[in-house]
């Protein structure tokens, strides 16, 4: 059985849609029925067209009940995200998206509700486009969109089918351990098929588990387990284990591969490590030396980059980066051996302190060397802090595993980091394993925070005549993960360090200002408007006088108002004309284009453009050849 959770802005029709899908109205509290608004979690269920039984958790959309919403979406398999066609993307739409993104809800369907209220196809297209923009950088960016009406029944069957397809692609929940079996033997047994053996590390394997063979990424399933020729239903860490596999041929596996559960490990192409050269080595290890790297049951060729040294002689210790020809599966704290390929010689060995080094470092950077020392430190708090710093954004459980800390020990150490202000929670979720905290180091957050402010400041300097920087452009320029950007961005908005208006971001003190030369051009243009206020220069003529950027700035600041593709007025003049039009229609009952033209001593071109703009603004309404007030 799968569980689907609803999400979306208040009054966008979540509960009504659930009732249309299931025949069950999820609102159960008296206050909910009186207020016609979901306050707490509601529940319903249905059987999808493919026979899958699905439970539905209906969550509140109102911002006052966001904690209840969080309680409902913690353990769901997919989301039914509701957006009303008559309103489109709204504040809680975005807030719920952020929450789902933080919860990493990877699958879902978007229901565009209340389509029976909209006859304008262009409006629906604009709403759909707005939704896609809002969902673009989230986990639900590829979710299908289904127009529906709970009132008429339109799209309900299509929505059920979309949910069936969505859930059919949802994998079973992963085990929360991190088992890995470095394979040392591969063979086939008649009647059983492929068998691999090795010593199990870091977790448990169970009969029936789906597994993954790394680094190739081949998937299969455990048919059976043996330890010391005894049949087992579960293999425990440290045990010698034989695994009978289904779905994988012996030719697809080789010694040195690692058997694990899907998604637990990513093969590494580069690692950071501490190295000690063996006492017997006569020739020092030099920078950029090619070596054989032995780890678990694997053997790969790598190249050693020395950090802080030109060479390492016998008995010397130092920091290195090792870059591999082929990816390997490693974890922090793993031991390894280095050998010289030719002539064959054991050079030494060491310990991995960072299983996924992101890039090559400057070899003699003091900051890099201090960071590596922290990762290798015997002080667990220092190690955990550095793990969180390196990850930039990480769950508490993953941080503990990377730092090689037991859960209870990790929680105590993390509490100390919270108390000292060195680590912050930037999100949380509820999973089957319990509450998960998403963490970031405070100093790293502060650097990124200042980077965001500086990017906006630089944009103002580069484009002083623009009102602000597009929010999406800001996000892309930061290069931050969506969750981290959203956390920092919302903090900056709440502290009024940044201001957002119509998806444009600016510093609070930013104002469009013209320099002396620009102001001279503006004055020249405005003089032409003053001379002929009701037959002013065209848009093309304005641009010829001041240029496109200054012209757009005059529109942005409200000095000018554009009523058509080629007609623009001074805003003060426009307001006077609107007042006069209203007065004339109030006196006469109607107004013709000719009457407008004569009243303002202008041409039909300006009269038509102005009156059509008033029609668009719903100040007037055209009836044949005359206008009336709306």
């Amino acid at each position: 059985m799968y569980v689907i959770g609803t999400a979306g802005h208040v009054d966008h029709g979540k509960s009504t849609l659930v009732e249309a899908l299931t025949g069950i109205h999820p609102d159960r509290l008296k206050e909910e029925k009186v207020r016609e608004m979901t306050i707490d979690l509601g529940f319903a269920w249905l059987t999808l067209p493919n026979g899958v039984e699905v439970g539905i958790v209906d969550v509140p959309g109102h911002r006052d009940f966001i904690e209840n919403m969080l309680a409902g979406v913690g353990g769901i398999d997919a989301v039914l995200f509701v957006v009303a066609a008559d309103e489109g993307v709204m504040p809680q739409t975005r807030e719920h998206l952020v929450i789902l993104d933080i919860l990493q809800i990877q699958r879902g369907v978007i229901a565009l509700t209340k389509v029976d209220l909209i006859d304008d196809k262009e409006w629906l297209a604009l709403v759909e486009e707005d939704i896609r923009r809002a969902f673009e950088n989230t986990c639900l960016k590829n979710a299908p969109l289904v127009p529906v009406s709970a009132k008429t029944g339109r799209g309900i069957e299509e929505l059920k089918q979309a949910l069936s397809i969505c859930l059919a692609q949802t994998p079973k929940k992963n085990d929360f351990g991190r088992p890995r079996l470095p394979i040392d033997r591969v063979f086939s047994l008649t009647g059983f098929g492929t068998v691999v053996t090795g010593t199990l590390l870091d977790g448990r394997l169970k009969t029936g588990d789906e597994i993954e063979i790394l680094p190739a990424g081949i998937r299969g399933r455990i048919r059976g387990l043996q330890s010391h020729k005894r049949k087992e239903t579960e293999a425990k860490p440290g045990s010698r284990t034989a695994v009978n596999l289904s779905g994988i041929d012996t030719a697809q596996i080789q010694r040195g591969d690692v058997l694990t559960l899907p998604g637990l490990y990513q093969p590494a192409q580069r690692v950071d490590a501490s190295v000690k050269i063996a006492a017997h080595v006569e020739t020092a290890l030099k920078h950029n030396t090619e070596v054989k790297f032995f780890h678990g049951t694997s053997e790969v060729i790598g190249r050693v980059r020395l950090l802080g040294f030109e060479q390492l002689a016998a008995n010397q210790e130092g920091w290195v980066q090792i870059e591999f020809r082929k990816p390997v599966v490693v974890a922090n704290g793993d031991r390894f051996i280095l050998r010289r390929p030719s002539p064959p010689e054991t050079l030494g060995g060491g310990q991995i302190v960072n299983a996924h080094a992101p890039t090559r470092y400057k070899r003699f950077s003091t900051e890099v060397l201090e960071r590596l020392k922290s990762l290798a430190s015997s002080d667990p708090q220092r190690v955990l802090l550095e793990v969180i710093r390196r990850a930039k954004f990480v769950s508490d459980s993953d941080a503990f595993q990377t730092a090689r800390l037991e859960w209870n020990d990790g929680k105590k150490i993390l509490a100390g980091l919270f108390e000292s202000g060195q680590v912050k929670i930037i999100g949380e979720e509820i999973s089957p394993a319990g509450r998960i905290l998403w963490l970031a180091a405070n100093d790293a957050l502060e650097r990124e925070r200042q980077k965001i402010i500086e990017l906006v400041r630089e944009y103002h300097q580069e484009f002083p005549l623009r009102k602000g920087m597009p929010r999406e452009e800001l996000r892309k320029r930061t290069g931050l993960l969506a969750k981290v950007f959203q956390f920092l961005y919302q903090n900056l908005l709440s502290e009024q360090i940044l201001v957002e208006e119509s998806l444009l971001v600016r510093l609070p003190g930013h104002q469009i200002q013209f320099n002396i030369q620009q102001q001279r051009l503006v004055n020249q243009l405005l003089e032409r408007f003053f001379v002929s206020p009701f037959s002013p220069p065209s848009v093309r003529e304005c641009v010829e006088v001041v240029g496109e950027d200054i012209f757009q700035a005059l529109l942005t600041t409200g000095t000018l108002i554009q009523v058509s593709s080629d007609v623009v007025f001074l805003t003060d003049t426009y307001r006077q004309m609107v007042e006069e039009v209203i007065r004339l229609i109030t006196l006469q009952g109607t107004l013709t284009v000719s009457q407008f033209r004569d009243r303002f001593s202008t041409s039909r071109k300006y009269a038509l453009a102005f009156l059509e703009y008033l029609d668009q603004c719903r100040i007037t309404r055209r009836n044949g050849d005359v206008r009336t007030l709306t």
Side-chain angles (χ1 to χ4, degrees):
M1 179 176 177
Y2 293 102
V3 178
I4 294 173
T6 63
H9 193 76
V10 63
D11 202 33
H12 275 206
K14 295 185 293 297
S15 300
T16 305
L17 180 59
V18 170
E19 184 177 20
L21 285 168
T22 67
I24 303 168
H25 198 290
D27 286 349
R28 67 193 193 286
L29 302 178
K30 181 179 179 181
E31 186 180 1
E32 291 177 319
K33 295 174 181 178
V34 171
R35 297 174 65 177
E36 295 184 343
M37 180 177 69
T38 301
I39 296 172
D40 205 349
L41 303 179
F43 303 92
W45 59 89
L46 79 158
T47 301
L48 293 173
N50 60 359
V52 173
E53 187 178 2
V54 175
I56 296 182
V57 180
D58 186 37
V59 305
H62 196 284
R63 64 181 181 181
D64 290 346
F65 305 110
I66 196 67
E67 290 183 359
N68 289 349
M69 183 269 180
L70 285 169
V73 298
I76 63 176
D77 299 292
V79 61
L80 176 58
F81 206 111
V82 177
V83 182
D86 59 339
E87 288 192 329
V89 175
M90 297 291 284
Q92 263 58 64
T93 309
R94 300 185 186 280
E95 187 172 10
H96 284 196
L97 266 176
V98 171
I99 292 168
L100 292 170
D101 214 33
I102 291 173
L103 295 176
Q104 287 288 287
I105 305 300
Q106 300 283 354
R107 291 170 175 80
V109 177
I110 304 166
L112 182 60
T113 57
K114 302 186 181 182
V115 294
D116 55 291
L117 301 179
I118 306 298
D119 295 323
D120 188 346
K121 292 183 178 179
E122 291 184 0
W123 172 259
L124 284 176
L126 287 172
V127 171
E128 289 190 22
E129 183 181 349
D130 192 30
I131 292 172
R132 286 303 179 195
R133 281 198 301 267
F135 283 63
E136 183 180 8
N137 296 296
T138 73
C139 292
L140 298 175
K141 62 182 178 182
N142 296 319
L145 188 150
V146 182
V148 297
S149 168
K151 181 178 179 181
T152 67
R154 173 187 167 185
I156 296 298
E157 292 305 315
E158 290 84 350
L159 180 58
K160 290 180 180 179
Q161 190 62 42
L163 290 170
S164 297
I165 295 171
C166 174
L167 291 175
Q169 300 169 350
T170 303
K172 295 181 179 180
K173 289 184 173 70
N174 289 330
D175 189 292
F176 282 91
R178 293 177 64 85
R180 50 182 172 142
L181 186 89
I183 296 169
D184 55 27
R185 280 201 306 162
V186 184
F187 55 91
S188 180
L189 289 177
T190 302
F192 291 90
T194 302
V195 178
V196 300
T197 66
T199 301
L200 183 60
L201 307 173
D202 298 340
R204 299 166 182 254
L205 295 174
K206 296 179 182 179
T207 301
D209 280 346
E210 183 183 7
I211 58 89
E212 184 176 23
I213 304 295
L214 296 176
I218 303 166
R219 297 292 181 92
R221 194 168 292 277
I222 297 177
R223 177 182 291 171
L225 291 167
Q226 282 193 358
S227 181
H228 298 162
K229 296 188 177 181
R230 293 191 308 270
K231 188 174 181 180
E232 304 282 356
T233 58
E234 181 180 72
K236 299 177 181 180
S239 63
R240 183 72 183 167
T241 304
V243 186
N244 181 204
L245 300 173
S246 65
I248 303 179
D249 188 78
T250 55
Q252 295 177 280
I253 313 174
Q254 60 184 353
R255 173 180 288 182
D257 288 344
V258 174
L259 184 153
T260 181
L261 300 183
L264 294 185
Y265 293 90
Q266 291 295 325
Q269 205 73 52
R270 180 193 296 113
V271 299
D272 299 332
S274 62
V275 166
K276 184 175 182 179
I277 303 303
H280 69 270
V281 173
E282 296 182 0
T283 305
L285 177 65
K286 296 180 180 179
H287 174 67
N288 221 29
T289 297
E290 190 171 80
V291 297
K292 284 186 177 181
F293 176 87
F294 293 84
H295 167 266
T297 60
S298 67
E299 172 190 340
V300 297
I301 298 295
R303 192 169 293 276
V304 176
R305 302 185 69 248
L306 299 183
L307 304 176
F309 292 87
E310 289 293 348
Q311 62 179 29
L312 286 174
N315 278 326
Q316 282 191 308
E317 296 182 48
W319 301 107
V320 299
Q321 278 193 318
I322 307 173
E323 297 178 324
F324 306 112
R325 285 188 185 176
K326 296 189 300 184
V328 295
V329 181
V330 295
N332 289 355
D334 284 357
R335 307 295 300 187
F336 61 89
I337 298 295
L338 294 181
R339 283 181 58 84
R340 200 187 305 274
S342 180
E345 179 186 24
T346 299
L347 294 168
Q351 188 174 43
I352 293 168
V353 298
N354 183 11
H356 292 279
T359 186
R360 288 186 174 188
Y361 308 133
K362 293 180 179 179
R363 292 182 52 218
F364 294 90
S365 166
T366 302
E367 179 184 354
V368 168
L369 297 176
E370 286 300 316
R371 188 164 62 236
L372 294 176
K373 287 179 184 177
S374 295
L375 287 171
S377 171
S378 58
D379 178 356
Q381 187 175 86
R382 186 178 177 187
V383 173
L384 183 58
L385 176 58
E386 194 57 42
V387 165
I388 296 170
R389 278 178 177 157
R390 295 288 295 162
K392 294 186 179 180
F393 175 67
V394 66
S395 70
D396 52 357
S397 58
D398 284 347
F400 300 158
Q401 289 168 346
T402 303
R404 297 290 183 174
L405 294 172
E406 294 293 331
W407 178 263
N408 290 334
D409 293 338
K411 296 295 285 186
K412 292 176 183 177
I413 295 167
L414 185 59
L417 292 174
F418 289 152
E419 186 176 352
S420 65
Q422 296 180 87
V423 171
K424 287 186 176 179
I425 300 172
I426 63 174
E428 63 180 271
E429 66 181 76
I430 305 299
S431 78
R435 182 166 171 253
I436 297 176
L437 303 180
W438 293 98
L439 313 171
N442 186 56
D443 52 2
L445 286 174
E446 185 58 33
R447 284 194 297 271
E448 297 300 340
R449 173 186 166 99
Q450 293 303 318
K451 179 180 176 182
I452 291 173
I453 297 170
E454 188 58 32
L455 283 171
V456 176
R457 183 177 290 110
E458 290 173 355
Y459 190 89
H460 289 333
Q461 292 172 353
E462 185 177 359
F463 303 105
L465 300 183
R466 295 184 185 178
K467 188 175 183 179
M469 182 180 189
R471 184 181 63 189
E472 183 58 18
E473 182 176 346
L474 173 61
R475 188 198 66 78
K476 289 180 178 178
R477 287 196 186 187
T478 65
L480 293 171
L481 291 172
K483 296 178 182 66
V484 182
F485 174 79
Q486 190 66 21
F487 174 82
L488 293 171
Y489 183 67
Q490 289 301 324
N491 283 348
L492 289 168
L493 292 181
S494 64
E495 295 173 20
Q496 298 183 336
I497 295 172
L498 293 180
V499 177
E500 179 183 318
E501 296 174 351
S502 303
L503 300 181
L504 294 177
V505 187
R506 62 176 175 82
L507 296 174
H510 173 69
Q511 294 181 342
I512 295 175
Q513 293 182 334
F514 302 115
N515 60 34
I516 295 175
Q517 183 178 359
Q518 291 169 338
Q519 189 63 54
R520 187 179 298 115
L521 295 175
V522 169
N523 293 341
Q524 291 176 12
L525 177 62
L526 295 183
E527 182 63 30
R528 295 181 61 177
F529 278 86
F530 295 143
V531 170
S532 183
F534 307 124
S535 301
S538 67
V539 170
R540 179 181 57 81
E541 290 170 331
C542 290
V543 172
E544 287 177 353
V545 174
V546 298
E548 181 67 33
D549 287 346
I550 295 178
F551 175 69
Q552 291 298 327
L554 291 171
L555 293 176
T556 300
T557 56
T559 303
L560 301 178
I561 183 169
Q562 188 171 344
V563 301
S564 75
S565 61
D566 200 42
V567 176
V568 63
F569 291 95
L570 276 174
T571 299
D572 289 344
T573 302
Y574 166 81
R575 290 172 181 157
Q576 296 170 12
M577 295 169 74
V578 170
E579 291 176 2
E580 183 62 11
V581 166
I582 293 173
R583 188 187 70 82
L584 290 172
I585 296 177
T586 301
L587 289 174
Q588 303 169 182
T590 62
L591 182 69
T592 66
V593 174
S594 298
Q595 289 171 329
F596 179 95
R597 181 196 61 200
D598 294 343
R599 169 62 187 82
F600 293 104
S601 301
T602 188
S603 69
R604 184 176 179 82
K605 163 189 167 182
Y606 293 99
L608 278 174
F610 190 90
L611 290 175
E612 287 175 357
Y613 186 74
L614 294 193
D615 294 342
Q616 294 172 19
C617 297
R618 302 195 176 186
I619 297 172
T620 59
R621 179 173 58 246
R622 180 180 175 182
N623 294 314
D625 294 331
V626 301
R627 256 78 177 182
T628 59
L629 296 178
T630 56

